Amino acid sequence: MSKKLNIVFYGTPEFATGVLKKLHESNHNIKAVVTAPDKPAGRGRKLQQSDVKKFAVNNNIPVLQPTNLKSPDFIKQLQEINPDLQVIVAFRMLPKVVWSLPVMGTFNLHASLLPEYRGAAPINWAIINQEQKTGVTTFFIDDKIDTGAIIDQVETQIEKNENVGSLYGRLMNLGADLSLKTVNDIANNNISTRVQSNSSSLKAAPKLNNENTLIDFTKSAAEVTALIRGLYPYPVAKALFYNNDDELRCKIHTAVISEEKSDHVPPGTLLLKDKKLFIATKDYFIEVNRLQLPGKKAMEVKDLLNGYQFHPNARFYKG
């Protein structure tokens, strides 16, 4: 049994909640949770609590929601709590006055094998780039993003046709276990850290946006389907297409590589056959299984084709 530590936990999404739950169930004491302020969402624009806040409230853990992490009031609250250690999972960058406060330091859990895939979307980019393995890393916070000394890592294989949904869940569980192990090792003074490489060849994991989530059908079928899997179930890959004279932006939820080569037609060429939808890439057609038209719900292609008409000159492209 390790020494019992007083911890302040920082996080917002579901991924962080898995770690918080694991630490809360341990012998350590979560003195407070720091999470994003409630934000309006949905049609009614009602204030929504973060996933981490919901867990904290349900388990009677004090919640702090500062809008300014350098606020004297927030710093005073942390000083009064006087944590031994701070744990960060999927939260924004902390100022030095915050991360340097605990005597045992502040560590972050990152969903990649650092130093590869520093940034906001490591799980997505590992699949998009067709990596065969990924993992989780704990490291001490410093004054740059995801560059601090590595404490520990755990690897996992990425399955051939895996999407973000399944990998996300597996990494959350691995991350929860690794975070608790890291806390216990710190409590027992049983860690040895290593400095991260800063090579210019390292792969990054930038924030997802309208441009880097847009499918480019001039790429190979393997690259296109990797992008689709790397963005499913959220935020979902986007595709532009002309249907008659209409320019539309749809979302492709799921697709697989077909056996039919497409090097005889331009990339983006649309093929409808046996109530199936195929799109040409640089080398092979992909078969789209689930598609979402603008303003509509996602549908299986076989159901969509019962009511939606693709014009003979319809084609997909990258704008």
Side-chain angles (χ1 to χ4, degrees):
M1 181 69 69
S2 65
K3 175 185 174 183
K4 183 175 181 178
L5 299 186
N6 292 325
I7 297 170
V8 171
F9 182 89
Y10 295 69
T12 297
E14 179 189 12
F15 191 89
T17 305
V19 180
L20 175 59
K21 182 176 184 293
K22 191 79 172 184
L23 295 179
H24 177 65
E25 292 171 350
S26 73
N27 68 307
H28 301 289
N29 186 14
I30 306 297
K31 297 292 289 184
V33 159
V34 182
T35 191
D38 299 349
K39 294 182 178 180
R43 292 184 178 179
R45 307 302 291 167
K46 293 182 179 179
L47 288 178
Q48 298 292 317
Q49 298 178 350
S50 73
D51 205 75
V52 162
K53 181 179 178 179
K54 291 175 184 176
F55 179 89
V57 170
N58 289 338
N59 289 276
N60 299 312
I61 303 172
V63 177
L64 304 177
Q65 295 177 277
T67 55
N68 179 4
L69 294 173
K70 294 181 180 179
S71 161
D73 289 340
F74 175 58
I75 303 303
K76 183 180 179 182
Q77 286 176 306
L78 291 178
Q79 290 171 336
E80 290 173 350
I81 294 170
N82 191 29
D84 301 309
L85 180 71
Q86 294 182 134
V87 179
I88 320 294
V89 185
F91 198 72
R92 62 191 191 270
M93 189 173 181
L94 300 182
K96 184 174 182 179
V97 66
V98 172
W99 59 257
S100 63
L101 190 147
V103 64
M104 292 185 173
T106 298
F107 79 80
N108 186 94
L109 172 74
H110 190 72
S112 82
L113 296 174
L114 289 173
E116 298 286 4
Y117 294 107
R118 293 170 179 156
I123 305 176
N124 304 87
W125 286 105
I127 292 180
I128 291 169
N129 290 337
Q130 303 177 68
E131 298 289 356
Q132 294 184 344
K133 67 178 182 179
T134 185
V136 286
T137 303
T138 51
F139 67 96
F140 281 117
I141 293 287
D142 63 13
D143 55 1
K144 295 180 181 178
I145 296 177
D146 300 336
T147 61
I150 291 173
I151 305 168
D152 208 347
Q153 289 184 323
V154 174
E155 291 185 4
T156 186
Q157 292 298 118
I158 299 177
E159 302 299 327
K160 183 178 179 181
N161 293 310
E162 189 157 33
N163 62 37
V164 163
S166 59
L167 184 57
Y168 181 99
R170 191 160 75 255
L171 290 178
M172 181 173 68
N173 292 331
L174 288 174
D177 290 341
L178 182 64
S179 294
L180 179 56
K181 179 180 181 297
T182 299
V183 170
N184 290 338
D185 287 346
I186 290 173
N188 294 328
N189 195 26
N190 186 34
I191 61 167
S192 59
T193 61
R194 60 183 174 88
V195 176
Q196 290 192 46
S197 165
N198 282 314
S199 167
S200 59
S201 64
L202 293 173
K203 296 173 185 175
K207 187 175 181 179
L208 300 172
N209 56 42
N210 285 332
E211 178 61 27
N212 60 27
T213 59
L214 189 64
I215 298 172
D216 179 358
F217 291 99
T218 65
K219 293 185 176 181
S220 69
E223 291 173 294
V224 169
T225 53
L227 178 70
I228 293 169
R229 289 184 288 105
L231 299 173
Y232 185 79
Y234 182 83
V236 185
K238 301 170 186 66
L240 301 175
F241 74 102
Y242 284 119
N243 193 32
N244 201 359
D245 292 327
D246 294 330
E247 180 180 290
L248 303 171
R249 177 185 289 255
C250 67
K251 292 182 177 181
I252 296 180
H253 287 239
T254 58
V256 294
I257 301 173
S258 77
E259 295 180 353
E260 185 172 352
K261 288 190 174 183
S262 61
D263 49 7
H264 59 289
V265 297
T269 297
L270 185 68
L271 176 63
L272 297 175
K273 185 169 64 175
D274 300 326
K275 287 210 168 184
K276 294 181 179 180
L277 170 62
F278 300 89
I279 306 172
T281 69
K282 181 175 72 174
D283 51 7
Y284 286 88
F285 281 94
I286 65 166
E287 180 186 349
V288 178
N289 298 316
R290 190 170 177 82
L291 185 72
Q292 185 174 2
L293 295 172
K296 306 292 184 181
K297 292 182 178 180
M299 297 180 68
E300 299 298 317
V301 164
K302 59 182 175 59
D303 297 324
L304 175 69
L305 294 178
N306 286 331
Y308 187 78
Q309 295 296 317
F310 285 94
H311 193 272
N313 70 356
R315 65 180 179 87
F316 285 80
Y317 69 101
K318 181 177 180 180

